[in-house]
Amino acid sequence: MDLNVLILPGDGIGVEVTREAVKVLRSVASAGNHRLRLSEGLLGGAAIHQTGTPFPDETREKALQADATLLGAVGLPEFDDAPPEKRPERGLLGIRKALEVYANLRPVRSYKALVDSSPLKNELVDGTDMIIVRELTGGLYYGTPRGISGTGPEERAVNTMVYTRPEIERVARMAFELARKRRKKVTSVDKSNVLENSQLWRRVVTEMAANYPDVTLNHILVDNCAMQLVLNPKRFDVVLTENLFGDILSDEGAVLAGSIGMLPSASIGSRRPSGAWTGLYEPVHGSAPDIAGQNKANPLGAIGSVAAMLEYSFGLTQEAQTVYGAIEAVLNSGRVTGDLKPFGPPATTSEVGDAVAAAFSAHTATA
Ligand code: NAD
């Protein structure tokens, strides 16, 4: 099979974790005799440095040509005070919109070896297995009008939260379809006691549920959801929510998984003629300027994103499961980075990447 993948290392630890994810992707390609065609592009702060813009046209073209894109992370402190169009994060919004990846899937599961890494009690965390489906190309992050205007006491800022019925329907469909392959429960998160936007969201999701009688639908307000995620995470199977709420709630998932460095994500949109999804795959974490360049970052979220790519964009479900198995084997071996290991010498980013690639190859050699 041809695996035509664009790599966007981005900024900070994005570069380091992506290198390890590519190592694992190479092992998968070599074990399965797949032809891996990698190209590389610029996004975020690195792109601003070299081209003056966070999302250069060349990167857009490469992403549209590729079967799938693997992204590290974007963001550099030097741009913290830059105007919005000159900030690295604008590149992220740009590529999501260009690829029309409207659903961001964020699996959150607890690994046995990591229950002690979570600040929550073991019995609360152990057995957590949910997937957060976040709408990715609408809502407050894209709505217009937006901007800051006026001066002095007249200065004001506006953002607009817009959702259309079709935007809600397509992401809800994704959540219900996913639930059918899991424990058949969808929890839809909104703020319908205050926001009209959420009232439409709740009404449309409820209507969609009629097409999925085998799936149980619950609604929950976002403030209560934030609390339930840490009080009783095992109650959740598929969590469906809009862009801003999903952004915030999925970081809470880091507490359950033991570290934000553990969390992968898949952003998917339309299907190609082959039936595979157009996809953008990236760890949930950011560029972590505090540890960048030190070979300390946990690469497992990026490596898990490769597993998601194999599953959704290439239909290589078996290989994806083997990558998840290799991650678990490395966690069980205790060869992990410092975010998961408060005591004892931690492994480096590259050692963890090597270990996962080796565990993958060892498994396929004996299979
Ligand atoms: P962050 O996720 O970069 O870091 C938060 C904390 O988690 C830091 O202490 C960091 O050291 C730690 N951390 C993150 N990833 C880790 C990993 N793989 N291994 C070990 N520790 C890890 O979030 P932030 O500090 O709020 O943001 C830093 C920059 O990243 C900002 O410019 C922000 O805009 C950007 N950002 C980008 C993305 C993205 O590219 N998708 C997402 C979030 C934040």
Side-chain angles (χ1 to χ4, degrees), residues 1-4 34-37 67 314:
M1 176 169 196
D2 277 340
L3 311 180
N4 177 14
H34 303 298
R35 201 163 45 199
L36 182 61
R37 292 211 316 261
D67 297 329
F314 297 116

Side-chain angles (χ1 to χ4, degrees), residues 11 13 34 38 40 70 76-77 106 123 146-147 149 154 175 183 201 230 239 244 254 277-278 295 301 352 358:
D11 304 317
I13 63 165
H34 303 298
L38 295 178
E40 194 162 313
L70 179 68
L76 290 175
R106 298 185 163 191
E123 64 270 23
R146 66 183 297 161
S149 60
E154 302 301 320
R183 302 196 305 279
W201 179 279
V230 285
V239 177
L244 171 69
W277 295 97
T278 302
N295 207 11
V352 174

Side-chain angles (χ1 to χ4, degrees), residues 11 13 17 43 71-77 80 87-89 92 96 106 247 251 259-262 282-292 296-302 337-340 349:
D11 304 317
I13 63 165
V17 298
L43 192 81
L71 167 63
V74 298
L76 290 175
D80 281 355
R87 291 180 60 116
E89 293 77 2
L92 202 55
R96 289 171 179 168
R106 298 185 163 191
D247 193 359
D251 268 27
S259 162
I260 193 152
M262 287 301 300
E282 52 178 317
V284 166
H285 63 75
S287 56
D290 53 336
I291 56 166
K296 271 185 180 174
N298 182 348
L300 295 177
T337 42
D339 52 317
L340 299 174
T349 308

Side-chain angles (χ1 to χ4, degrees), residues 80-99:
D80 281 355
D81 298 320
E85 66 284 2
K86 291 282 179 200
R87 291 180 60 116
E89 293 77 2
R90 198 43 87 81
L92 202 55
L93 301 187
I95 193 168
R96 289 171 179 168
K97 201 72 178 177
L99 290 173

Side-chain angles (χ1 to χ4, degrees), residues 93 95-105 132-139 142 163-175 177-178 201 208 240-244 266-271 277-280:
L93 301 187
I95 193 168
R96 289 171 179 168
K97 201 72 178 177
L99 290 173
E100 290 178 76
V101 285
Y102 58 82
N104 182 230
L105 279 39
I132 300 178
V133 178
R134 166 189 170 196
E135 201 290 329
L136 201 62
T137 51
Y142 291 95
Y163 273 110
T164 63
R165 173 179 279 274
E167 283 176 321
I168 303 169
E169 284 175 352
R170 65 185 184 178
V171 72
R173 194 173 298 119
M174 186 88 77
E177 297 286 347
L178 268 173
W201 179 279
M208 295 287 296
L240 166 66
T241 190
E242 63 86 52
N243 203 344
L244 171 69
S267 303
I268 54 183
S270 52
R271 282 188 191 267
W277 295 97
T278 302
L280 173 67

Side-chain angles (χ1 to χ4, degrees), residues 109-118 126 257-258 262 327-336 340-341:
R109 57 171 290 207
S110 69
Y111 288 94
K112 284 268 181 230
L114 293 186
V115 285
D116 286 333
S117 302
S118 170
D126 194 17
M262 287 301 300
I327 291 174
E328 187 141 25
V330 170
L331 290 173
N332 290 338
S333 76
R335 205 166 172 68
V336 293
L340 299 174
K341 194 167 193 174

Side-chain angles (χ1 to χ4, degrees), residues 102-355:
Y102 58 82
N104 182 230
L105 279 39
R106 298 185 163 191
V108 180
R109 57 171 290 207
S110 69
Y111 288 94
K112 284 268 181 230
L114 293 186
V115 285
D116 286 333
S117 302
S118 170
L120 299 178
K121 292 194 182 83
N122 289 5
E123 64 270 23
L124 277 184
V125 179
D126 194 17
T128 296
D129 181 6
M130 75 181 82
I131 182 156
I132 300 178
V133 178
R134 166 189 170 196
E135 201 290 329
L136 201 62
T137 51
L140 263 184
Y141 291 9
Y142 291 95
T144 52
R146 66 183 297 161
I148 303 177
S149 60
T151 52
E154 302 301 320
E155 192 170 18
R156 65 196 294 267
V158 177
N159 288 95
T160 305
M161 191 171 191
V162 194
Y163 273 110
T164 63
R165 173 179 279 274
E167 283 176 321
I168 303 169
E169 284 175 352
R170 65 185 184 178
V171 72
R173 194 173 298 119
M174 186 88 77
F176 282 112
E177 297 286 347
L178 268 173
R180 275 195 162 156
K181 296 187 195 134
R182 296 173 48 97
R183 302 196 305 279
K184 299 187 173 51
K185 273 168 47 181
V186 170
T187 304
S188 176
V189 182
D190 62 42
K191 188 70 184 165
S192 58
N193 53 342
V194 178
L195 301 174
E196 286 78 0
N197 196 282
S198 281
Q199 286 159 13
L200 178 66
W201 179 279
R202 188 174 283 216
R203 184 150 50 81
V204 173
V205 173
T206 305
E207 287 170 21
M208 295 287 296
N211 302 323
Y212 299 90
D214 50 328
V215 177
T216 307
L217 171 68
N218 292 297
H219 299 281
I220 187 168
L221 296 175
V222 62
D223 33 0
N224 187 19
C225 184
M227 189 167 67
Q228 294 299 325
L229 274 174
V230 285
L231 281 180
N232 186 12
K234 280 182 265 194
R235 67 177 269 180
F236 295 108
D237 178 18
V238 175
V239 177
L240 166 66
T241 190
E242 63 86 52
N243 203 344
L244 171 69
F245 300 160
D247 193 359
I248 298 168
L249 292 177
S250 55
D251 268 27
E252 243 188 301
V255 180
L256 304 166
S259 162
I260 193 152
M262 287 301 300
L263 298 179
S265 88
S267 303
I268 54 183
S270 52
R271 282 188 191 267
R272 293 197 304 278
S274 63
W277 295 97
T278 302
L280 173 67
Y281 300 88
E282 52 178 317
V284 166
H285 63 75
S287 56
D290 53 336
I291 56 166
Q294 299 172 39
N295 207 11
K296 271 185 180 174
N298 182 348
L300 295 177
I303 294 172
S305 302
V306 165
M309 174 191 289
L310 295 169
E311 182 173 354
Y312 296 117
S313 281
F314 297 116
L316 297 172
T317 315
Q318 188 56 52
E319 281 88 340
Q321 288 312 320
T322 308
V323 173
Y324 288 127
I327 291 174
E328 187 141 25
V330 170
L331 290 173
N332 290 338
S333 76
R335 205 166 172 68
V336 293
T337 42
D339 52 317
L340 299 174
K341 194 167 193 174
F343 309 108
T348 62
T349 308
S350 28
E351 284 169 348
V352 174
D354 287 342

